[in-house]
Amino acid sequence: MCGRFVITSAPAALRQLFGYIEQPNFPPRFNVAPTQPIPVVLAENGARHFRLMRWGLLPGWVKDPKGFTLLINARSETVLEKPAFKRAIRRRRGLIPADGYYEWKTEDGRKQPFFIHRADGAPLGFAALFETWVGPNGEELDTVAIVTAAAGEDLATLHDRVPVTISPRDFERWLDSRSDDVDAVLPLMTAPPIGEFTWHPVSTRVNRVVNDDDQLLLPISAEEMEAEAPRKKVVRKAAAGSADDGQGSLF
């Protein structure tokens, strides 16, 4: 799964890599979370464009978004059958620029966050599906989900799912939705090759969405991980025969 990611590359560098015609200027983001507006690259009228969309896909047939599950990820194995994605996979495929993402691994009964990024430090493009939801009063909301696949042998040590990343050489193939044929893009929806990504533990500060700074990306040591671990409460039993004054014990 992918529930938080990072965009740190300069806007000009991302524009050159993804080839969209707009020239947006945006600050680096170190803790992008669901429901927030995120950049999406799409193909339209023979050109690539940059759009901001809400992370959390809403299919067009949803009547009340308040009662609909937030779809931040789309499983590659079922996108052709799931009602929420089967139209988008054919006609509305996009790319989400990113520089890495976070994943949480349960260790010793607690969840330790890790920052995952390409070993060569290059930016990447998440495979995405998007839909424009139209409300009862004509209001429109562009929404998007990240496609995920079963993790490869290396990344599976952190989580059994990974976001699908599209290589620059395959950007055009993924974005080309001029026909309903999806056979050409199905082979792209897989985990990255072993060794393409690397990772390191980071502070649990990333758990809070309000924290959005470059310190979140820094590796932390085993000692720092231990210092961040929640302390277990020690409950001492009252001595046999002791009186209880009704106030309980602080310890």
Side-chain angles (χ1 to χ4, degrees):
M1 113 172 245
C2 179
R4 302 280 182 86
F5 68 93
V6 170
I7 311 173
T8 56
S9 290
L14 292 178
R15 180 173 183 257
Q16 181 177 14
L17 176 62
F18 289 91
Y20 44 79
I21 62 177
E22 291 78 13
Q23 300 184 48
N25 187 23
F26 47 88
R29 296 290 312 280
F30 301 94
N31 199 4
V32 183
T35 74
Q36 295 178 348
I38 62 174
V40 179
V41 180
L42 54 93
E44 188 176 72
N45 299 323
R48 295 183 192 174
H49 295 276
F50 176 101
R51 297 283 188 274
L52 288 178
M53 300 185 184
R54 189 198 76 159
W55 186 9
L57 186 140
L58 271 178
W61 41 263
V62 172
K63 294 183 179 180
D64 182 8
K66 294 181 180 179
F68 189 75
T69 303
L70 190 66
L71 301 176
I72 65 171
N73 293 157
R75 295 175 68 94
S76 60
E77 300 90 341
T78 57
V79 290
L80 291 176
E81 294 81 30
K82 292 290 185 180
F85 306 121
K86 65 180 183 181
R87 293 183 181 178
I89 186 61
R90 296 181 180 277
R91 304 295 295 179
R92 289 174 285 279
R93 296 188 296 270
L95 293 165
I96 297 174
D99 287 271
Y101 67 101
Y102 299 104
E103 193 56 81
W104 281 257
K105 179 182 180 181
T106 301
E107 295 183 331
D108 298 326
R110 60 188 178 89
K111 290 186 175 182
Q112 173 61 47
F114 288 80
F115 176 56
I116 305 167
H117 58 94
R118 283 181 56 96
D120 60 7
L124 49 96
F126 292 141
L129 306 178
F130 62 90
E131 287 282 7
T132 298
W133 179 80
V134 180
N137 299 317
E139 65 272 29
E140 294 186 355
L141 180 64
D142 292 328
T143 66
V144 65
I146 296 173
V147 180
T148 67
E153 184 178 350
D154 53 351
L155 286 167
T157 61
L158 298 180
H159 198 277
D160 61 351
R161 306 292 299 179
V162 294
V164 170
T165 53
I166 304 297
S167 170
R169 67 176 178 272
D170 294 317
F171 282 178
E172 187 64 28
R173 178 156 54 131
W174 175 257
L175 293 175
D176 186 2
S177 300
R178 288 172 293 184
S179 71
D180 284 342
D181 185 14
V182 296
D183 292 341
V185 301
L186 293 180
L188 301 179
M189 294 191 291
T190 58
I194 294 176
E196 186 171 300
F197 281 75
T198 187
W199 57 88
H200 58 258
V202 295
S203 171
T204 54
R205 290 184 59 243
V206 74
N207 295 354
R208 300 190 64 203
V209 176
V210 294
N211 294 327
D212 190 354
D213 57 76
D214 58 0
Q215 299 298 301
L216 297 179
L217 305 184
L218 297 180
I220 65 172
S221 65
E223 291 75 15
E224 291 171 320
M225 291 170 60
E226 181 62 28
E228 288 189 344
R231 295 287 179 255
K232 294 182 179 180
K233 294 182 179 180
V234 178
V235 179
R236 297 180 179 177
K237 294 183 179 180
S242 62
D244 185 354
D245 61 4
Q247 298 184 47
S249 171
L250 292 177
F251 305 99

